[in-house]
Amino acid sequence: MTLTDLPEWHDLENHFTTVQNLQLRDLFANDPDRGSRLSLQAGDLYLDFSKNRVTDETLAKLIALAKACGIESTRDAMFAGVKINTTEQRAVLHTALRNTSDQPVYTDGIDVMSEIHTELKKMSEFSDNIRDKKLLGFDGRPIKNVVNIGIGGSDLGPVMVTEALKYYSDRSLQIRFISNIDANNFAEVTRDLDPAESLFIIASKTFTTDETMTNALTAREWLLASGAVDTDIAKHFVALSTNTEKVTEFGIDSANMFVFWHWVGGRYSLTSAIGLSIMIAIGPEHFKELLEGFYDMDQHFKTAPLENNMPVILAMLGVWYGNFFGAETEAILPYDQYLHRFPAYFQQGNMESNGKSVTKSGEPVRYKTGPVVWGEPGTNGQHAFYQLLHQGTHLIPADFIGTIEPLNNIGEHHQKLTANLLAQTKALAFGKTALELEAEGVSSELIAHKTFTGNRPTNTILMTKLTPHSLGQLIALYEHKIFVQGVIWDINSFDQWGVELGKVLATDIYQKLKERGSDADDSSTANLLKRFSS
Ligand code: F6P
């Protein structure tokens, strides 16, 4: 039975017609405890979901839909190593990477935990060596620059977490990232680096990604041009990959390789060897705390009843707005500058996972699937795009993420930052009516312009403090939200066939550019190619 044929779906459709015009103002006025009632604590995270356009009945019906779609059994299958990535015949076991318990995790009858522990140990030793300035470059000076070359999941997670946990990082090391095939990226990242003090981490699950391989070759040339010889390469290059053959083919000794496994999806890989740059930056102990945070949220997701399950609640609210109210996008708005890459990270996490239009069995879906995900940190966004959030014609559900205690306690910055967060969610929910404006003496010709309709939904997620542990929980929260929505929509959240066509066409066009050819089977591409062929 397809999603839209389920009785629970019909029930929600009928219910929607009766509640779609309810006002948050009224919901709050009629229920003085709503703000605390519709909230949840899971580990370090507090979720206030009271400013959503839902009643208790709505929430119960959304949870009924989640149950009818088999969230619990599919979740258990994922944790148990079942091959739920059916188009690639793979298990989805990123949760094993952060299994800090002593419980085994099996897939294909093999406990994967011992190889995970072996790799974590190797990463710790290597990170400590760099942090203790014991890893020496080709002229005997210690390595102090670490450049991760990777793209997508082999870049965004390490970038996001090294930024988020910068407070905990070793400031004597430079940790940098090159992702784009655009040479400007390579040139600017390396321009002030001394090759003799630089280590390149080539991060690629497949070790075939053109951007990464092109940048890795350029890095090798850059090193050799500085006086290093071929035998020095081993001191300056390590690889993070699942593909030993390709790593060796590239010229990196398998002894300098940190492995992970096909059952780790690229966009779910930051707690695998792909996180090496993170571990070097923050140290093995903090990395362990990060894993423990992930694990705690995994346990919450696995064991909490669906009605008190944070990822499930966030996911079902997303379904409510996307499938019933017709919202097209979702904003992630962290009120913490350290989290400035968090929205970009989950843009890939969400859009590559749930940007699908066929069901697991290949039937076209008859409903909207994953939303467009975007965002920027507050308060910057307030002075950029919040105008549209408040008074535009789109309904944009938004998550506001904040911390109770600041990391840098300077003056009144944190109180002001927090005041802005709370003020924005209040303004979005309750708005400002024409009557209120009149009472304030606003001139009649400006009333329409100054009116805020309100009734714009938000979640507020608070961490006590931004720590490796709380960050791990926050990331796992969003990962599991995406998982739940994928199950509801009956799509495979763990493949990404949609990125293939562009790669194939680029290979073909690259040949044409090299040959200065301009033939193409469409006139636009042919015409554009001509501009490069003279
Ligand atoms: O092209 C998309 C993609 O496959 C992502 O899913 C992945 O994170 C990224 O490319 C990088 O892939 P790899 O780690 O294999 O280089």
Side-chain angles (χ1 to χ4, degrees):
M1 200 187 289
T2 70
L3 174 62
T4 47
D5 292 332
L6 291 172
E8 289 79 4
W9 182 272
H10 290 302
D11 199 17
L12 273 163
E13 277 179 329
N14 292 333
H15 176 69
F16 177 71
T17 59
T18 64
V19 297
Q20 62 176 315
N21 293 322
L22 289 183
Q23 297 294 310
L24 284 168
R25 275 183 178 239
D26 299 329
L27 291 171
F28 272 83
N30 296 335
D31 176 5
D33 291 334
R34 184 179 169 95
S36 56
R37 233 169 33 75
L38 300 191
S39 72
L40 192 62
Q41 182 84 41
D44 299 339
L45 305 186
Y46 177 78
L47 168 68
D48 173 355
F49 58 101
S50 62
K51 295 194 191 84
N52 280 289
R53 292 168 69 173
V54 293
T55 62
D56 289 357
E57 211 185 336
T58 319
L59 291 168
K61 290 182 191 301
L62 287 168
I63 296 301
L65 178 68
K67 286 188 179 153
C69 291
I71 295 297
E72 286 144 310
S73 56
T74 319
R75 171 197 65 194
D76 295 346
M78 173 173 75
F79 278 92
V82 175
K83 293 183 178 159
I84 59 166
N85 176 356
T86 44
T87 58
E88 297 179 310
Q89 272 309 305
R90 287 177 180 168
V92 173
L93 271 183
H94 46 275
T95 49
L97 300 168
R98 61 265 191 144
N99 170 24
T100 50
S101 77
D102 54 7
Q103 294 301 304
V105 177
Y106 292 99
T107 186
D108 281 333
I110 295 166
D111 178 8
V112 295
M113 289 316 300
S114 87
E115 43 187 358
I116 291 174
H117 290 143
T118 305
E119 222 46 39
L120 278 172
K121 189 162 174 278
K122 188 172 164 189
M123 288 165 66
S124 300
E125 286 164 4
F126 188 76
S127 302
D128 278 341
N129 252 345
I130 297 188
R131 293 167 63 84
D132 296 343
K133 310 288 183 294
K134 288 186 186 150
L135 191 77
L136 307 180
F138 69 87
D139 69 359
R141 282 181 291 150
I143 294 293
K144 61 173 204 199
N145 311 312
V146 175
V147 184
N148 187 88
I149 295 183
I151 196 163
S154 300
D155 168 74
L156 287 162
V159 171
M160 184 275 280
V161 177
T162 49
E163 285 298 300
L165 299 180
K166 197 174 235 164
Y167 183 83
Y168 303 90
S169 69
D170 180 342
R171 306 302 174 114
S172 70
L173 296 169
Q174 289 279 334
I175 312 287
R176 297 190 182 176
F177 296 88
I178 299 174
S179 54
N180 203 324
I181 201 160
D182 184 343
N184 296 339
N185 196 183
F186 187 92
E188 290 300 332
V189 169
T190 54
R191 66 181 302 120
D192 60 344
L193 298 184
D194 182 342
E197 296 179 322
S198 303
L199 172 82
F200 288 98
I201 299 180
I202 314 301
S204 175
K205 180 176 171 182
T206 54
F207 231 71
T208 57
T209 304
D210 196 24
E211 289 90 335
T212 303
M213 294 304 110
T214 304
N215 279 317
L217 286 170
T218 303
R220 190 156 65 181
E221 293 310 309
W222 180 80
L223 180 77
L224 294 175
S226 74
V229 294
D230 273 346
T231 48
D232 294 327
I233 301 276
K235 297 191 181 95
H236 293 269
F237 279 81
V238 296
L240 320 176
S241 188
T242 58
N243 193 339
T244 314
E245 204 182 316
K246 288 278 173 202
V247 169
T248 321
E249 217 174 87
F250 179 84
I252 297 179
D253 194 319
S254 55
N256 292 337
M257 175 179 175
F258 298 83
V259 298
F260 59 112
W261 306 274
H262 61 78
W263 40 260
V264 181
R267 53 193 173 273
Y268 297 93
S269 65
L270 76 84
T271 51
S272 72
I274 288 293
L276 183 64
S277 54
I278 302 171
M279 198 191 268
I280 294 169
I282 63 172
E285 273 309 306
H286 283 134
F287 194 84
K288 188 162 169 266
E289 287 169 25
L290 179 74
L291 297 186
E292 284 162 356
F294 270 96
Y295 177 72
D296 286 353
M297 182 52 73
D298 291 345
Q299 290 309 299
H300 167 80
F301 178 49
K302 216 168 147 176
T303 57
L306 297 194
E307 34 284 307
N308 296 321
N309 196 307
M310 209 180 267
V312 174
I313 290 174
L314 285 186
M316 297 315 293
L317 288 168
V319 168
W320 181 232
Y321 295 119
N323 294 108
F324 295 90
F325 282 87
E328 294 278 346
T329 87
E330 275 175 26
I332 302 181
L333 308 169
Y335 275 62
D336 189 310
Q337 191 59 30
Y338 284 125
L339 291 175
H340 69 112
R341 294 300 285 162
F342 191 81
Y345 176 69
F346 273 108
Q347 190 167 59
Q348 183 200 18
N350 204 324
M351 294 172 76
E352 200 165 74
S353 297
N354 286 344
K356 311 286 162 67
S357 50
V358 295
T359 63
K360 282 187 211 141
S361 56
E363 296 297 317
V365 295
R366 291 194 266 120
Y367 39 83
K368 286 276 168 60
T369 58
V372 174
V373 172
W374 60 282
E376 285 288 330
T379 58
N380 296 3
Q382 291 174 203
H383 299 272
F385 53 79
Y386 278 37
Q387 166 64 40
L388 186 148
L389 298 188
H390 285 288
Q391 289 189 316
T393 51
H394 300 268
L395 177 74
I396 303 180
D399 290 350
F400 284 70
I401 302 171
T403 60
I404 294 170
E405 291 172 28
L407 288 177
N408 295 293
N409 198 2
I410 303 172
E412 295 194 325
H413 285 263
H414 196 67
Q415 286 96 318
K416 289 189 175 185
L417 176 72
T418 306
N420 274 279
L421 186 165
L422 301 183
Q424 289 296 326
T425 62
K426 192 170 160 69
L428 286 162
F430 308 123
K432 185 130 197 167
T433 63
L435 274 179
E436 286 166 341
L437 289 163
E438 261 170 47
E440 284 173 16
V442 172
S443 65
S444 58
E445 62 275 16
L446 280 181
I447 294 233
H449 298 281
K450 289 195 160 191
T451 299
F452 286 69
T453 55
N455 225 19
R456 295 171 189 249
T458 60
N459 293 303
T460 303
I461 299 168
L462 296 179
M463 288 173 272
T464 311
K465 196 170 175 171
L466 180 57
T467 62
H469 192 263
S470 61
L471 181 69
Q473 292 183 23
L474 186 70
I475 302 169
L477 169 65
Y478 276 87
E479 283 181 352
H480 296 318
K481 170 191 169 179
I482 294 165
F483 169 83
V484 170
Q485 293 185 330
V487 177
I488 298 288
W489 294 320
D490 189 27
I491 56 179
N492 183 354
S493 301
F494 300 102
D495 61 11
Q496 56 284 318
W497 300 106
V499 300
E500 294 304 323
L501 179 60
K503 290 187 195 173
V504 173
L505 295 182
T507 309
D508 180 43
I509 293 174
Y510 166 61
Q511 277 311 324
K512 300 227 163 87
L513 283 167
K514 270 179 53 153
E515 293 154 13
R516 298 198 170 273
S518 62
D519 61 311
D521 54 15
D522 75 273
S523 61
S524 168
T525 308
N527 185 42
L528 291 167
L529 275 170
K530 263 191 213 138
R531 298 185 167 261
F532 294 88
S533 65
S534 52

